[in-house]
Amino acid sequence: MNRDIRLKRLRFRAWHRGTKEADLMVGGFFDTCADSWSDAEIAWFEALMDEEDVDIMGWAIGTIPIPDRWRGPMMERMCVLDYIPVAK
């Protein structure tokens, strides 16, 4: 599957998680970062999309320890949380 199709599918999955909070966190992360991802980073995010929202959110906000499998630069970037749109 080509890169554009993979990213289009991932964007949909990132913004249709099941709760507004998860949509904003996961979708916001995708929109902010995906343009610069390598194929390996896209594969990492594809695998992350199979995890439960509550786990992803807990890892990102630091309320749940991050499993070794998910540790690394991508999760570190997700934990910054500056990509979440905040209404003013």
Side-chain angles (χ1 to χ4, degrees):
M1 180 180 333
N2 79 32
R3 180 183 176 86
D4 290 336
I5 292 171
R6 285 174 77 190
L7 289 172
K8 189 177 284 190
R9 286 181 179 189
L10 276 177
R11 184 174 197 287
F12 182 86
R13 289 185 71 193
W15 279 104
H16 295 87
R17 299 301 299 170
T19 66
K20 185 66 171 177
E21 295 83 359
D23 291 349
L24 290 171
M25 178 177 285
V26 178
F29 178 72
F30 178 88
D31 284 353
T32 300
C33 302
D35 287 343
S36 65
W37 287 346
S38 67
D39 287 342
E41 290 168 327
I42 291 171
W44 181 93
F45 195 76
E46 285 171 330
L48 184 71
M49 293 297 88
D50 291 334
E51 297 290 338
E52 296 292 327
D53 293 343
V54 67
D55 292 330
I56 296 170
M57 293 177 68
W59 300 331
I61 64 175
T63 58
I64 301 172
I66 302 167
D68 290 341
R69 173 180 185 202
W70 299 114
R71 290 181 191 270
M74 290 282 284
M75 185 57 73
E76 289 170 10
R77 177 65 183 103
M78 184 175 265
C79 292
V80 174
L81 300 178
D82 64 348
Y83 51 83
I84 299 174
V86 178
K88 294 181 181 184

XYZ file of all heavy atoms in Angstrom:
721
model
N 0.857 -1.171 0.000
C 0.000 0.000 0.000
C 0.905 1.237 0.000
O 1.888 1.289 0.739
C -0.882 -0.048 1.249
C -1.811 1.089 1.391
S -2.868 1.064 2.878
C -3.043 -0.622 3.302
N 0.556 2.231 -0.781
C 1.429 3.394 -0.851
C 1.255 4.307 0.371
O 0.283 4.212 1.118
C 1.268 4.138 -2.181
C 0.041 5.025 -2.246
O -0.415 5.582 -1.263
N -0.493 5.170 -3.437
N 2.224 5.165 0.553
C 2.299 6.044 1.725
C 1.046 6.916 1.891
O 0.517 7.048 2.987
C 3.555 6.905 1.602
C 3.766 7.861 2.737
C 5.007 8.728 2.491
N 5.167 9.705 3.521
C 5.783 9.489 4.671
N 6.306 8.324 4.945
N 5.873 10.452 5.568
N 0.575 7.517 0.810
C -0.583 8.405 0.909
C -1.825 7.672 1.403
O -2.579 8.201 2.229
C -0.875 9.069 -0.439
C 0.190 10.082 -0.825
O 0.875 10.602 0.078
O 0.338 10.346 -2.030
N -2.044 6.477 0.903
C -3.204 5.694 1.343
C -3.053 5.300 2.808
O -4.009 5.393 3.581
C -3.409 4.460 0.447
C -3.838 4.904 -0.958
C -4.442 3.511 1.049
C -3.873 3.797 -1.980
N -1.864 4.881 3.198
C -1.623 4.521 4.608
C -1.917 5.711 5.516
O -2.580 5.564 6.553
C -0.180 4.072 4.812
C 0.117 2.700 4.283
C 1.587 2.378 4.385
N 1.967 2.041 5.758
C 3.222 1.914 6.145
N 4.221 2.097 5.298
N 3.494 1.590 7.400
N -1.426 6.875 5.147
C -1.633 8.068 5.975
C -3.102 8.481 6.004
O -3.616 8.894 7.049
C -0.750 9.215 5.498
C 0.732 9.047 5.785
C 1.543 10.148 5.110
C 1.001 9.037 7.289
N -3.787 8.354 4.895
C -5.215 8.701 4.849
C -6.006 7.784 5.789
O -6.861 8.242 6.547
C -5.742 8.592 3.424
C -7.142 9.149 3.251
C -7.579 9.081 1.800
C -6.877 10.186 1.045
N -7.396 10.354 -0.322
N -5.698 6.490 5.752
C -6.373 5.541 6.642
C -6.034 5.824 8.102
O -6.895 5.759 8.978
C -5.979 4.115 6.293
C -6.613 3.625 5.022
C -6.227 2.202 4.733
N -6.860 1.744 3.511
C -6.850 0.512 3.098
N -6.222 -0.417 3.796
N -7.451 0.170 1.986
N -4.764 6.121 8.348
C -4.358 6.418 9.729
C -5.023 7.682 10.252
O -5.398 7.744 11.420
C -2.837 6.554 9.820
C -2.076 5.270 9.967
C -0.581 5.539 9.970
C -2.483 4.548 11.249
N -5.143 8.697 9.405
C -5.802 9.929 9.840
C -7.245 9.628 10.260
O -7.717 10.104 11.289
C -5.790 10.990 8.750
C -6.388 12.300 9.254
C -6.256 13.432 8.247
N -6.470 14.705 8.891
C -7.643 15.159 9.308
N -8.722 14.429 9.174
N -7.753 16.335 9.891
N -7.940 8.838 9.471
C -9.310 8.471 9.825
C -9.333 7.747 11.171
O -10.131 8.086 12.055
C -9.937 7.595 8.737
C -11.360 7.232 9.047
C -12.383 8.076 8.691
C -11.667 6.059 9.721
C -13.711 7.766 9.000
C -12.971 5.731 10.028
C -14.003 6.585 9.668
N -8.462 6.765 11.338
C -8.424 6.005 12.594
C -8.055 6.895 13.776
O -8.569 6.720 14.887
C -7.438 4.844 12.494
C -7.917 3.738 11.578
C -6.994 2.564 11.579
N -7.078 1.834 12.846
C -6.206 0.910 13.219
N -5.179 0.601 12.453
N -6.356 0.290 14.371
N -7.160 7.846 13.550
C -6.730 8.735 14.624
C -7.852 9.659 15.081
O -7.949 9.987 16.265
C -5.519 9.561 14.168
N -8.701 10.070 14.164
C -9.779 11.008 14.499
C -11.117 10.323 14.786
O -12.110 11.001 15.048
C -9.950 12.029 13.377
C -8.946 13.125 13.490
C -7.818 13.302 12.750
C -8.969 14.204 14.429
N -7.139 14.407 13.166
C -7.827 14.992 14.192
C -9.835 14.586 15.459
C -7.527 16.128 14.939
C -9.547 15.720 16.196
C -8.407 16.479 15.932
N -11.154 9.013 14.768
C -12.395 8.275 15.055
C -12.123 7.196 16.090
O -12.331 6.017 15.845
C -12.973 7.680 13.760
C -13.415 8.720 12.799
N -12.559 9.278 11.886
C -14.609 9.330 12.640
C -13.217 10.186 11.189
N -14.468 10.240 11.626
N -11.680 7.628 17.264
C -11.275 6.701 18.312
C -12.454 6.240 19.159
O -12.411 5.183 19.732
C -10.216 7.346 19.209
C -8.941 7.746 18.511
C -8.248 6.607 17.849
N -7.867 5.596 18.833
C -7.416 4.400 18.531
N -7.322 4.045 17.268
N -7.093 3.549 19.459
N -13.457 7.044 19.313
C -14.605 6.627 20.113
C -15.011 7.636 21.164
O -16.157 7.656 21.595
N -14.058 8.460 21.600
C -14.393 9.546 22.520
C -13.769 10.832 21.994
O -12.748 10.798 21.295
C -13.859 9.296 23.950
O -12.425 9.312 23.924
C -14.372 7.989 24.521
N -14.374 11.948 22.324
C -13.859 13.237 21.868
C -12.445 13.477 22.389
O -11.581 13.982 21.673
C -14.802 14.359 22.330
C -14.430 15.712 21.815
C -14.597 15.780 20.313
C -14.422 17.202 19.831
N -14.506 17.305 18.392
N -12.202 13.094 23.639
C -10.885 13.296 24.238
C -9.807 12.516 23.485
O -8.733 13.039 23.189
C -10.890 12.884 25.714
C -11.768 13.735 26.590
C -13.238 13.334 26.580
O -13.617 12.366 25.863
O -14.023 13.993 27.280
N -10.099 11.253 23.183
C -9.141 10.434 22.442
C -8.968 10.960 21.019
O -7.845 10.982 20.497
C -9.581 8.976 22.425
N -10.056 11.395 20.399
C -9.954 11.974 19.061
C -9.012 13.170 19.056
O -8.150 13.289 18.185
C -11.316 12.420 18.540
C -12.259 11.274 18.229
O -11.816 10.106 18.211
O -13.455 11.564 18.000
N -9.171 14.061 20.032
C -8.335 15.257 20.087
C -6.876 14.910 20.349
O -5.973 15.493 19.744
C -8.848 16.220 21.162
C -10.170 16.897 20.846
C -10.693 17.645 22.073
C -10.027 17.842 19.662
N -6.642 13.953 21.239
C -5.271 13.595 21.565
C -4.601 12.859 20.409
O -3.549 13.260 19.920
C -5.201 12.743 22.825
C -3.783 12.312 23.166
S -3.696 11.390 24.699
C -3.902 12.711 25.868
N -5.199 11.782 19.964
C -4.584 10.942 18.940
C -4.639 11.643 17.574
O -3.645 11.671 16.847
C -5.250 9.553 18.898
C -4.647 8.692 17.819
C -5.124 8.871 20.257
N -5.779 12.224 17.256
C -5.902 12.939 15.983
C -5.026 14.179 15.922
O -4.420 14.467 14.893
N -4.963 14.904 17.029
C -4.100 16.088 17.083
C -2.641 15.724 16.910
O -1.885 16.413 16.206
N -2.222 14.631 17.545
C -0.852 14.147 17.385
C -0.588 13.789 15.927
O 0.432 14.187 15.356
C -0.622 12.937 18.292
C 0.739 12.329 18.159
C 1.848 12.975 18.658
C 0.910 11.101 17.541
C 3.120 12.410 18.535
C 2.166 10.525 17.411
C 3.271 11.189 17.908
N -1.503 13.066 15.326
C -1.341 12.685 13.918
C -1.212 13.924 13.038
O -0.286 14.033 12.239
C -2.515 11.822 13.453
C -2.408 11.461 12.006
C -1.712 10.337 11.622
C -2.975 12.263 11.027
C -1.575 10.009 10.275
C -2.849 11.959 9.685
C -2.140 10.821 9.311
N -2.150 14.863 13.163
C -2.141 16.043 12.296
C -0.870 16.865 12.460
O -0.367 17.436 11.497
C -3.358 16.920 12.568
C -4.636 16.354 11.975
O -4.585 15.346 11.239
O -5.706 16.931 12.261
N -0.356 16.938 13.663
C 0.836 17.732 13.929
C 2.112 17.068 13.424
O 3.018 17.748 12.946
C 0.966 18.002 15.447
O -0.202 18.717 15.885
C 2.204 18.814 15.768
N 2.181 15.758 13.486
C 3.454 15.078 13.273
C 3.563 14.213 12.028
O 4.676 13.962 11.550
C 3.757 14.209 14.492
S 3.835 15.130 16.036
N 2.478 13.730 11.494
C 2.524 12.670 10.468
C 3.262 13.049 9.190
O 3.862 12.183 8.548
C 1.112 12.201 10.127
N 3.236 14.310 8.808
C 3.884 14.701 7.548
C 5.372 14.387 7.526
O 5.944 14.173 6.460
C 3.675 16.184 7.273
C 2.260 16.510 6.841
O 1.522 15.581 6.442
O 1.877 17.694 6.917
N 5.987 14.354 8.685
C 7.439 14.118 8.731
C 7.813 12.677 9.081
O 8.998 12.360 9.186
C 8.079 15.064 9.751
O 7.620 14.755 11.059
N 6.834 11.794 9.249
C 7.120 10.422 9.663
C 7.798 9.605 8.580
O 7.446 9.679 7.395
C 5.852 9.706 10.089
C 5.307 10.144 11.409
C 5.940 10.888 12.360
C 4.008 9.876 11.917
N 5.109 11.094 13.436
C 3.919 10.484 13.186
C 2.926 9.177 11.427
C 2.777 10.404 13.968
C 1.777 9.104 12.203
C 1.712 9.708 13.464
N 8.728 8.779 9.018
C 9.344 7.776 8.153
C 8.387 6.583 8.027
O 7.384 6.507 8.751
C 10.666 7.307 8.761
O 10.407 6.584 9.967
N 8.715 5.648 7.172
C 7.896 4.443 7.051
C 7.865 3.670 8.369
O 6.825 3.118 8.738
C 8.413 3.545 5.925
C 8.106 4.114 4.548
O 7.230 4.988 4.435
O 8.748 3.669 3.585
N 8.980 3.635 9.079
C 9.021 2.938 10.370
C 8.124 3.629 11.393
O 7.444 2.966 12.184
C 10.456 2.871 10.888
N 8.096 4.944 11.369
C 7.227 5.677 12.300
C 5.753 5.491 11.944
O 4.904 5.385 12.832
C 7.628 7.157 12.316
C 8.970 7.367 12.973
C 9.549 8.748 12.763
O 9.321 9.351 11.679
O 10.237 9.237 13.673
N 5.450 5.426 10.671
C 4.074 5.136 10.255
C 3.676 3.751 10.754
O 2.574 3.569 11.294
C 3.926 5.239 8.722
C 4.072 6.695 8.278
C 2.589 4.668 8.263
C 4.161 6.883 6.766
N 4.557 2.784 10.619
C 4.269 1.424 11.094
C 4.061 1.412 12.604
O 3.172 0.716 13.109
C 5.398 0.471 10.708
N 4.845 2.188 13.337
C 4.689 2.295 14.791
C 3.299 2.818 15.128
O 2.598 2.273 15.975
C 5.769 3.227 15.359
C 5.738 3.405 16.835
C 6.438 2.675 17.764
C 4.999 4.376 17.590
N 6.176 3.139 19.040
C 5.285 4.180 18.957
C 4.114 5.393 17.252
C 4.744 4.960 19.978
C 3.555 6.173 18.261
C 3.880 5.942 19.601
N 2.887 3.883 14.438
C 1.577 4.480 14.709
C 0.449 3.540 14.303
O -0.566 3.457 14.995
C 1.455 5.831 13.996
C 0.308 6.658 14.490
C 0.384 7.332 15.702
C -0.852 6.773 13.746
C -0.684 8.096 16.161
C -1.914 7.536 14.186
C -1.832 8.202 15.408
N 0.624 2.827 13.203
C -0.387 1.834 12.795
C -0.573 0.800 13.900
O -1.710 0.437 14.225
C 0.040 1.152 11.497
C -0.130 2.006 10.277
C 0.485 1.420 9.018
O 1.500 0.684 9.113
O -0.044 1.709 7.930
N 0.504 0.337 14.488
C 0.417 -0.641 15.574
C -0.216 -0.009 16.821
O -1.038 -0.640 17.493
C 1.797 -1.201 15.899
N 0.122 1.235 17.103
C -0.450 1.918 18.265
C -1.968 2.027 18.154
O -2.680 1.940 19.158
C 0.171 3.312 18.418
C -0.273 4.097 19.648
C 0.312 3.482 20.924
C 0.124 5.566 19.523
N -2.478 2.171 16.945
C -3.923 2.316 16.743
C -4.693 1.063 17.150
O -5.906 1.116 17.332
C -4.242 2.672 15.290
C -3.771 4.055 14.860
S -4.548 5.422 15.769
C -3.466 5.609 17.168
N -4.006 -0.044 17.347
C -4.663 -1.262 17.810
C -4.773 -1.316 19.334
O -5.437 -2.208 19.870
C -3.904 -2.500 17.315
C -4.016 -2.674 15.806
O -5.015 -2.196 15.222
O -3.100 -3.271 15.216
N -4.148 -0.362 20.018
C -4.219 -0.309 21.480
C -5.503 0.384 21.923
O -6.137 1.111 21.159
C -3.004 0.438 22.046
C -1.681 -0.233 21.769
C -1.494 -1.526 22.557
O -2.154 -1.714 23.599
O -0.673 -2.346 22.102
N -5.866 0.165 23.174
C -7.061 0.800 23.741
C -6.810 2.294 23.981
O -5.717 2.689 24.403
C -7.430 0.135 25.070
C -7.816 -1.316 24.928
C -9.126 -1.505 24.191
O -10.020 -0.654 24.306
O -9.243 -2.519 23.478
N -7.840 3.097 23.741
C -7.723 4.543 23.938
C -7.294 4.899 25.353
O -6.470 5.789 25.552
C -9.048 5.241 23.645
C -9.434 5.177 22.184
O -8.552 4.894 21.352
O -10.614 5.422 21.882
N -7.869 4.224 26.327
C -7.553 4.548 27.717
C -6.073 4.324 28.000
O -5.455 5.080 28.756
C -8.463 3.769 28.695
C -8.184 2.279 28.659
C -8.346 4.304 30.103
N -5.478 3.320 27.373
C -4.050 3.068 27.551
C -3.219 4.149 26.864
O -2.297 4.707 27.462
C -3.667 1.694 27.021
C -4.268 0.566 27.845
O -4.482 0.754 29.057
O -4.537 -0.502 27.268
N -3.546 4.449 25.618
C -2.805 5.481 24.881
C -2.856 6.803 25.642
O -1.831 7.470 25.823
C -3.365 5.656 23.458
C -3.173 4.381 22.637
C -2.717 6.850 22.760
C -3.905 4.374 21.305
N -4.034 7.176 26.083
C -4.176 8.441 26.799
C -3.416 8.414 28.119
O -2.770 9.389 28.489
C -5.662 8.760 27.004
C -6.364 9.041 25.686
S -8.134 9.338 25.872
C -8.101 10.899 26.741
N -3.495 7.301 28.838
C -2.774 7.174 30.102
C -1.276 7.266 29.926
O -0.581 7.904 30.722
N -0.754 6.650 28.877
C 0.682 6.735 28.601
C 1.069 8.171 28.279
O 2.078 8.670 28.757
C 1.064 5.829 27.439
C 0.773 4.388 27.659
C 0.744 3.723 28.861
C 0.441 3.418 26.660
N 0.415 2.396 28.661
C 0.231 2.181 27.322
C 0.307 3.462 25.283
C -0.100 1.016 26.640
C -0.023 2.299 24.601
C -0.224 1.096 25.277
N 0.245 8.835 27.465
C 0.573 10.186 27.012
C 0.538 11.201 28.149
O 1.359 12.113 28.190
C -0.358 10.612 25.886
N -0.396 11.041 29.077
C -0.479 12.026 30.162
C 0.275 11.582 31.409
O 0.342 12.317 32.390
C -1.943 12.385 30.507
C -2.707 11.181 31.047
C -2.637 12.994 29.311
C -4.114 11.504 31.526
N 0.847 10.393 31.376
C 1.711 9.942 32.455
C 1.023 9.290 33.631
O 1.629 9.124 34.690
N -0.229 8.880 33.472
C -0.923 8.227 34.583
C -0.744 6.715 34.577
O -1.072 6.061 35.562
C -2.432 8.562 34.573
O -2.995 8.159 33.325
C -2.643 10.061 34.786
N -0.256 6.181 33.462
C 0.006 4.750 33.330
C 1.441 4.611 32.814
O 1.823 5.310 31.866
C -0.966 4.085 32.324
C -2.423 4.265 32.747
C -0.637 2.607 32.161
C -3.419 3.795 31.694
N 2.234 3.729 33.406
C 3.591 3.533 32.891
C 3.564 3.051 31.438
O 2.734 2.230 31.053
C 4.178 2.446 33.803
C 3.310 2.430 35.014
C 1.950 2.900 34.589
N 4.475 3.573 30.647
C 4.560 3.212 29.232
C 5.282 1.875 29.106
O 6.411 1.733 29.579
C 5.318 4.295 28.437
C 4.629 5.642 28.582
C 5.450 3.890 26.965
C 5.459 6.819 28.106
N 4.645 0.893 28.465
C 5.322 -0.388 28.245
C 6.570 -0.206 27.368
O 6.616 0.688 26.521
C 4.278 -1.240 27.516
C 2.965 -0.570 27.781
C 3.271 0.886 27.954
N 7.550 -1.064 27.575
C 8.794 -0.972 26.810
C 8.547 -0.930 25.312
O 9.236 -0.222 24.587
C 9.717 -2.149 27.142
C 10.284 -2.058 28.544
O 10.272 -0.954 29.130
O 10.729 -3.100 29.064
N 7.559 -1.679 24.857
C 7.249 -1.744 23.419
C 6.977 -0.370 22.815
O 7.267 -0.123 21.647
C 6.042 -2.651 23.225
C 5.518 -2.666 21.828
C 4.329 -3.560 21.676
N 3.976 -3.592 20.263
C 2.814 -3.904 19.805
N 1.859 -4.249 20.622
N 2.573 -3.907 18.515
N 6.414 0.536 23.607
C 5.999 1.838 23.089
C 6.960 2.967 23.433
O 6.789 4.091 22.978
C 4.586 2.171 23.565
C 3.604 1.173 23.083
C 2.881 0.296 23.830
C 3.253 0.901 21.725
N 2.111 -0.495 23.028
C 2.315 -0.147 21.724
C 3.646 1.437 20.502
C 1.759 -0.654 20.551
C 3.092 0.915 19.338
C 2.164 -0.113 19.377
N 7.966 2.688 24.238
C 8.930 3.733 24.603
C 9.759 4.144 23.395
O 10.059 3.332 22.537
C 9.864 3.233 25.691
C 9.194 3.048 27.018
C 10.210 2.579 28.058
N 9.532 2.152 29.254
C 9.253 2.963 30.275
N 9.634 4.217 30.234
N 8.613 2.499 31.322
N 10.130 5.409 23.366
C 10.982 5.906 22.291
C 10.557 7.292 21.854
O 9.679 7.919 22.466
N 11.184 7.788 20.803
C 10.945 9.165 20.360
C 9.488 9.468 20.001
O 9.011 10.574 20.277
C 11.834 9.310 19.129
C 12.818 8.206 19.204
C 12.207 7.124 20.030
N 8.789 8.517 19.402
C 7.391 8.781 19.033
C 6.532 8.985 20.274
O 5.739 9.926 20.344
C 6.840 7.637 18.179
C 7.428 7.549 16.793
S 6.759 8.752 15.645
C 5.163 8.032 15.281
N 6.673 8.126 21.269
C 5.884 8.283 22.495
C 6.337 9.521 23.270
O 5.506 10.227 23.846
C 5.969 7.027 23.365
C 5.070 7.073 24.588
S 3.298 7.328 24.247
C 2.838 5.743 23.568
N 7.623 9.796 23.266
C 8.109 11.010 23.935
C 7.446 12.237 23.325
O 7.027 13.143 24.042
C 9.631 11.115 23.817
C 10.366 10.099 24.670
C 11.852 10.045 24.377
O 12.376 10.918 23.637
O 12.504 9.110 24.877
N 7.341 12.254 22.012
C 6.686 13.385 21.338
C 5.205 13.426 21.672
O 4.648 14.496 21.903
C 6.890 13.261 19.817
C 6.186 14.339 19.018
C 6.782 15.718 19.320
N 6.063 16.746 18.607
C 5.165 17.564 19.179
N 4.895 17.485 20.459
N 4.551 18.479 18.460
N 4.569 12.273 21.736
C 3.149 12.233 22.080
C 2.916 12.773 23.492
O 1.920 13.447 23.756
C 2.596 10.813 21.963
C 1.101 10.736 22.216
S 0.430 9.084 21.948
C -0.122 9.286 20.266
N 3.838 12.524 24.390
C 3.693 12.944 25.784
C 3.827 14.450 25.984
O 3.459 14.966 27.042
C 4.711 12.216 26.666
S 4.392 10.451 26.828
N 4.320 15.176 24.997
C 4.460 16.629 25.122
C 3.090 17.307 25.195
O 2.914 18.303 25.895
C 5.313 17.201 23.968
C 5.350 18.720 24.013
C 6.723 16.629 24.032
N 2.122 16.772 24.487
C 0.721 17.219 24.498
C 0.485 18.612 23.917
O -0.617 19.139 24.011
C 0.133 17.169 25.919
C 0.107 15.809 26.609
C -0.445 15.954 28.017
C -0.717 14.812 25.825
N 1.482 19.232 23.305
C 1.288 20.578 22.752
C 0.510 20.579 21.439
O 0.206 21.621 20.888
C 2.630 21.283 22.563
C 3.522 20.600 21.540
O 3.217 19.452 21.120
O 4.550 21.204 21.164
N 0.160 19.419 20.961
C -0.551 19.279 19.692
C -2.059 19.246 19.874
O -2.806 19.199 18.920
C -0.104 17.988 18.985
C -0.180 16.789 19.893
C -1.361 16.114 20.095
C 0.939 16.382 20.623
C -1.442 15.050 20.957
C 0.867 15.309 21.484
C -0.321 14.652 21.653
O -0.394 13.609 22.523
N -2.522 19.233 21.117
C -3.968 19.146 21.379
C -4.587 20.534 21.209
O -4.185 21.479 21.886
C -4.254 18.592 22.789
C -3.679 17.180 22.906
C -5.754 18.611 23.073
C -3.780 16.606 24.293
N -5.544 20.648 20.296
C -6.177 21.969 20.091
C -7.013 22.356 21.315
O -7.755 21.538 21.852
C -7.062 21.746 18.875
C -7.272 20.281 18.780
C -6.095 19.626 19.435
N -6.827 23.583 21.740
C -7.560 24.092 22.899
C -8.388 25.288 22.451
O -7.838 26.250 21.912
C -6.588 24.509 24.036
C -7.353 25.085 25.210
C -5.736 23.325 24.465
N -9.694 25.214 22.659
C -10.575 26.321 22.289
C -10.347 27.491 23.230
O -10.195 27.322 24.431
C -12.031 25.876 22.333
N -10.297 28.686 22.661
C -10.082 29.885 23.496
C -11.269 30.789 23.443
O -12.022 30.828 22.580
C -8.844 30.629 23.017
C -7.595 29.809 23.241
C -6.387 30.568 22.799
C -5.170 29.689 23.032
N -3.943 30.317 22.733
